[in-house]
Amino acid sequence: CGSDPELFRAWGLEAAAPVLAAWGKAMGGWPVWLAFGAVTAFLPMLVVVDVTRPSTAYLVNRAHFATKVKARVEKVLYAAINDDYERIVVVAHSFGVGVAVEVLSELETKPEATLSLVTLGGSLGLVRARSPRLDAAYGRLLGAGLLASWTDFWSDQDWLGTPSLEAAGALPPGFVGQPLEASLSLPSKLSGESHGLYFQEAALYETLVDRCG
């Protein structure tokens, strides 16, 4: 593109054509952009957009979105607590990890049931860096003594998730990070397919059975 400014004029970018042309040449011309286009074709752009929009709305509580989401989760959680179950296991995936952490951190009293948290492919570390509210919720949950256990499944093959439990510092008993051993191809990582690999892991279901007793 950098070698042919007429292309920009054909796209209705006459005013920006000189600048864009110079930029294109500096970036190596059309071979570089062709390679860039090939790479981005595989990137999970729609997945990223789908995740980012509601995530941002939740973090800033746009149109009371966070309030509404938490209310739905709280309704189910409190119903389970009031039904006198002996064990309650909360399972959260992706950005739902942040929601679960915030809801659990706001419990006013410790339930009589044994309460466990299982998280999969969360991005809590990144989210906490952006949101003081969720960072505070994480700290409260770690120190509240509400959870009997927290098992966090994560994978370095999943480019849309990070470990939710901090590796540095002492964690309460029963709080463990569980890295997955699965290895995926580069296209699977780029497409975002790896973000769902947790549901194919036997270790997840073994953990759920153990937590449910």
Side-chain angles (χ1 to χ4, degrees):
C1 292
S3 60
D4 190 1
E6 291 298 326
L7 289 176
F8 293 114
R9 296 189 178 93
W11 296 335
L13 300 172
E14 295 90 344
V19 174
L20 293 174
W23 187 31
K25 290 178 181 178
M27 291 295 291
W30 69 266
V32 171
W33 291 106
L34 182 62
F36 178 75
V39 171
T40 55
F42 288 99
L43 288 174
M45 300 307 293
L46 292 180
V47 175
V48 172
V49 170
D50 288 343
V51 170
T52 301
R53 286 179 177 174
S55 298
T56 301
Y58 184 90
L59 293 178
V60 301
N61 200 20
R62 181 181 301 134
H64 306 291
F65 181 66
T67 303
K68 296 173 184 176
V69 170
K70 290 196 297 179
R72 294 185 64 177
V73 177
E74 288 167 352
K75 181 179 180 180
V76 176
L77 179 60
Y78 286 127
I81 292 174
N82 293 330
D83 279 345
D84 296 325
Y85 287 102
E86 293 184 1
R87 298 170 183 264
I88 298 174
V89 182
V90 177
V91 183
H93 175 250
S94 194
F95 192 81
V97 173
V99 178
V101 165
E102 189 165 27
V103 169
L104 290 170
S105 75
E106 294 173 353
L107 284 175
E108 296 181 356
T109 58
K110 183 177 180 178
E112 294 184 7
T114 300
L115 185 59
S116 298
L117 176 61
V118 177
T119 52
L120 322 167
S123 55
L124 191 58
L126 296 176
V127 172
R128 285 171 53 210
R130 291 189 56 193
S131 171
R133 191 183 83 229
L134 283 182
D135 187 48
Y138 175 82
R140 287 197 306 271
L141 188 58
L142 256 62
L146 293 170
L147 298 177
S149 66
W150 179 352
T151 305
D152 176 48
F153 288 90
W154 63 276
S155 173
D156 58 8
Q157 306 290 300
D158 177 13
W159 292 358
L160 294 175
T162 61
S164 292
L165 288 171
E166 289 184 347
L171 292 172
F175 285 43
V176 295
Q178 180 70 47
L180 301 188
E181 298 180 358
S183 180
L184 297 178
S185 65
L186 181 60
S188 295
K189 298 176 188 177
L190 292 172
S191 68
E193 178 185 342
S194 56
H195 198 44
L197 65 87
Y198 306 93
F199 302 101
Q200 304 171 19
E201 288 293 319
L204 166 62
Y205 301 100
E206 292 170 358
T207 298
L208 293 178
V209 169
D210 178 71
R211 299 294 182 267
C212 291

